[in-house]
Amino acid sequence: MFADTLGNSYGIGQVLFKATPLILTGLSVAFAFRAGLFNIGAEGQMTVGAFASAWAGFTFVSLPWVLLIPVCIASGFLAGALWAAIAGYLKARFGSHEVINTIMLNFIALAMVSYLVNNIYVVPATIHTPEISPNAVLLRFDAVTGMFKGSPFNLSFLIAIAACIIIFYINKETRFGYRVNTAGFNINAAEYAKMNVKRITISAMVIAGGLAGLAGMNFVNGYKHYFELGFSENAGYVGIAVALISRNNPFAIIAVAVFFGILEYGELTVNTLVPKEIVTILQGIIILLIITVTKFFDHKFRLKKA
């Protein structure tokens, strides 16, 4: 499996392509965690983000690439952000739990986008929208560098890395990041310090949703070049595991997402040799082991420190 994933340029490109949406969804979940919020809704946020990117790409076809690509990226981010803002507002305004809010919004997003694709924007005899303009297509690395030939590994990876750097900076260096961390660590302390916890909750969900929306943009503008139902391969849910294992550290998220990329692409490479389900079981066992061992050493460290 490792020979086929990391032993050649095409395999490495596939791994990094698989890792790209996981970096963004993992970062989305991790940022919400920082504010004390459990964002289960990355799947729905990613779906609306992907559809919005596709819509912008096949609607504004007269725009040159220098404008259309930023429009598609912004559309994906804003759609995911607005979708997550609903969950944040319900939490801040009425106190309804964000887990329930985001799970329900996942169902609504999938149903709503499915309706739009099947009834309004569908290409006959398919389950996808029209293709986006060539001016909206993100460059693939094989076209730019000659490496990773044949792989859909594209510039979305650099956007994901930039997002990690920006979120790390926000967390460590900004007043807003300090407030988010304080609210996540102890909401009573944040309220005692006169922080606007409701605004922090909504803002954190908006940023988290925007990041998940960018993951959807990667599928549309970097790979398929249209929105297709069932495209996500559960990247929104896998992002929860990525965030948990990386312990919400933006740079650790990159490493963990690449590891998951190896498993996901490796699953395909060995499919002719062993059943695909065995690799999925192995993936689940590895995740459980990592989380358990991490918690065990945390507990030992706290006892030793006490």
Side-chain angles (χ1 to χ4, degrees):
M1 183 176 86
F2 287 105
D4 287 332
T5 54
L6 302 178
N8 58 78
S9 177
Y10 173 75
I12 294 172
Q14 289 285 23
V15 166
L16 294 176
F17 170 70
K18 295 276 184 186
T20 301
L22 300 181
I23 293 172
L24 290 164
T25 56
L27 199 59
S28 167
V29 176
F31 190 77
F33 268 142
R34 288 271 183 179
L37 301 167
F38 201 176
N39 179 23
I40 307 291
E43 186 76 11
Q45 295 147 18
M46 182 175 63
T47 300
V48 296
F51 180 79
S53 295
W55 181 83
F58 65 70
T59 300
F60 304 113
V61 292
S62 60
L63 291 178
W65 70 267
V66 70
L67 293 177
L68 189 52
I69 287 178
V71 166
C72 290
I73 293 172
S75 298
F77 183 91
L78 288 174
L82 290 173
W83 200 251
I86 299 172
Y89 176 78
L90 293 174
K91 167 80 172 180
R93 180 70 177 80
F94 303 106
S96 55
H97 202 285
E98 73 277 6
V99 170
I100 304 298
N101 296 340
T102 50
I103 288 175
M104 293 299 107
L105 284 168
N106 280 346
F107 294 136
I108 296 170
L110 294 174
M112 182 183 70
V113 171
S114 176
Y115 173 82
L116 292 172
V117 172
N118 284 318
N119 294 280
I120 300 177
Y121 297 108
V122 69
V123 173
T126 71
I127 53 170
H128 63 72
T129 64
E131 288 202 16
I132 60 176
S133 163
N135 289 341
V137 173
L138 291 177
L139 278 177
R140 294 184 176 180
F141 280 103
D142 61 353
V144 180
T145 66
M147 300 172 65
F148 318 111
K149 198 166 182 59
S151 161
F153 179 42
N154 61 77
L155 290 179
S156 295
F157 183 76
L158 296 183
I159 295 173
I161 299 299
C164 288
I165 295 170
I166 292 170
I167 293 298
F168 180 81
Y169 178 80
I170 289 174
N171 286 338
K172 295 293 182 185
E173 302 294 339
T174 68
R175 183 177 296 179
F176 172 67
Y178 173 77
R179 290 174 175 169
V180 167
N181 290 329
T182 303
F185 185 72
N186 191 325
I187 193 168
N188 294 324
E191 288 175 340
Y192 186 75
K194 306 295 183 188
M195 294 180 183
N196 190 333
V197 174
K198 291 182 179 179
R199 183 179 297 174
I200 293 170
T201 297
I202 297 173
S203 301
M205 285 301 294
V206 164
I207 293 174
L211 292 167
L214 290 178
M217 183 276 305
N218 167 57
F219 282 104
V220 171
N221 297 73
Y223 177 37
K224 290 283 190 177
H225 306 159
Y226 50 74
F227 178 89
E228 185 176 47
L229 293 174
F231 74 96
S232 78
E233 299 179 334
N234 294 322
Y237 296 115
V238 179
I240 298 171
V242 172
L244 287 172
I245 294 173
S246 64
R247 311 187 74 179
N248 307 326
N249 183 306
F251 296 120
I253 283 172
I254 299 172
V256 175
V258 170
F259 174 69
F260 273 81
I262 294 171
L263 293 178
E264 285 196 7
Y265 183 60
E267 187 177 275
L268 300 176
T269 62
V270 299
N271 196 29
T272 57
L273 304 174
V274 296
K276 184 180 175 182
E277 288 75 14
I278 290 180
V279 181
T280 305
I281 292 169
L282 180 65
Q283 188 175 338
I285 292 172
I286 290 171
I287 294 170
L288 289 174
L289 278 175
I290 292 174
I291 293 174
T292 305
V293 168
T294 305
K295 288 291 181 186
F296 173 77
F297 281 107
D298 274 354
H299 180 66
K300 296 283 286 183
F301 178 75
R302 278 199 297 269
L303 286 177
K304 190 174 179 181
K305 197 173 179 181

